[in-house]
Amino acid sequence: MKRIFHYSTLSIAVALCSTAVSAYSQLGKAGTEVLDSTKNEKVKMVVYELPYISGKNVSIVQGYNGWWSHQKSNALDFLMRRGEVICAARDGIVQSTRSDSQKGGASYKFISDGNYVIIKHDDSTSAAYWHMEYNSVMVKEGDTIKAGQPIGKVGSTGFSSGPHLHFEVYYFDRYGKEHTVKTVFRTSRGIKKPRTWHFYKKPK
Ligand SMILES: [Zn+2]
């Protein structure tokens, strides 16, 4: 099982996000041509859907290489309310889930208590959706998932200071070392790189 340090807070903080564009380039076949404005050229990337329902506008409270628990990790914390629906960000197959935990809090002692869904993509990356509400997971191992499909509800199980969605994409290299990767999202204002303290609205 994946173990990640999760935490989010609304305190003012310095976002330590890396903006290296090359890090956004994904492995994978299903790339879409996206204009890289810093290089003024088109690069191939996989574009992810925002992991909530259409029309919702959600802020990121901790971004890539975040100031607290995301140091050296390409993970995102979306600030959402308890019980809000989480949707798959990309097509894939459910690799594993947990839904039976009722425990969580802002302490390391809860590190193994998070409910989650992990979805494997066709390029061998996987997306992890963490801290789901007790008994809220809507999918099971082996299910084929379409981007946008509801998969569970927001909670605060595991190492978490309050309801939010921790989202990350990762893969294992040939030595078994895990690498998290940055993703870009389709938003109501075009394809965007996610940044801490910014809001992102999912198109209808
Ligand atoms: Zn997190």
Side-chain angles (χ1 to χ4, degrees):
M1 193 192 94
K2 230 178 109 51
R3 298 164 75 92
I4 324 172
F5 304 99
H6 305 150
Y7 199 89
S8 81
T9 169
L10 289 171
S11 311
I12 299 301
V14 181
L16 302 169
C17 296
S18 158
T19 51
V21 170
S22 57
Y24 284 89
S25 302
Q26 297 273 298
L27 310 166
K29 324 159 192 171
T32 305
E33 295 265 304
V34 174
L35 183 68
D36 179 345
S37 53
T38 61
K39 290 184 190 158
N40 208 17
E41 64 185 32
K42 284 195 167 178
V43 292
K44 260 202 166 178
M45 296 183 192
V46 177
V47 179
Y48 285 70
E49 304 300 327
L50 289 163
Y52 33 87
I53 56 177
S54 295
K56 270 214 136 333
N57 199 18
V58 172
S59 68
I60 289 172
V61 289
Q62 194 182 188
Y64 294 141
N65 197 20
W67 53 279
W68 179 250
S69 58
H70 295 177
Q71 290 174 34
K72 296 183 182 160
S73 173
N74 293 314
L76 299 170
D77 285 339
F78 290 95
L79 185 62
M80 295 168 71
R81 283 188 293 274
R82 187 180 299 280
E84 282 193 273
V85 172
I86 296 165
C87 300
R90 184 176 169 186
D91 295 355
I93 293 172
V94 178
Q95 201 173 344
S96 60
T97 71
R98 182 180 178 187
S99 195
D100 66 353
S101 173
Q102 300 188 59
K103 289 193 250 170
S107 162
Y108 185 79
K109 71 178 181 181
F110 297 112
I111 190 70
S112 299
D113 295 320
N115 294 324
Y116 60 87
V117 170
I118 294 175
I119 296 175
K120 187 148 196 173
H121 310 135
D122 65 0
D123 59 4
S124 295
T125 61
S126 295
Y129 306 75
W130 279 89
H131 308 307
M132 289 183 178
E133 183 76 312
Y134 170 65
N135 248 347
S136 76
V137 171
M138 303 167 186
V139 294
K140 60 181 193 308
E141 197 178 321
D143 284 356
T144 298
I145 301 296
K146 282 282 170 203
Q149 182 177 335
I151 57 171
K153 291 181 180 172
V154 172
S156 189
T157 55
F159 184 12
S160 169
S161 63
H164 73 283
L165 167 65
H166 174 108
F167 174 82
E168 65 175 64
V169 176
Y170 61 92
Y171 69 95
F172 292 96
D173 67 20
R174 70 174 92 163
Y175 306 106
K177 185 176 180 335
E178 183 191 85
H179 300 268
T180 52
V181 293
K182 296 179 180 181
T183 56
V184 295
F185 291 91
R186 194 181 318 281
T187 80
S188 60
R189 289 178 293 131
I191 293 165
K192 296 285 181 192
K193 297 169 187 172
R195 296 171 60 197
T196 308
W197 308 120
H198 287 239
F199 278 83
Y200 297 96
K201 187 173 182 180
K202 186 169 180 178
K204 297 262 184 197

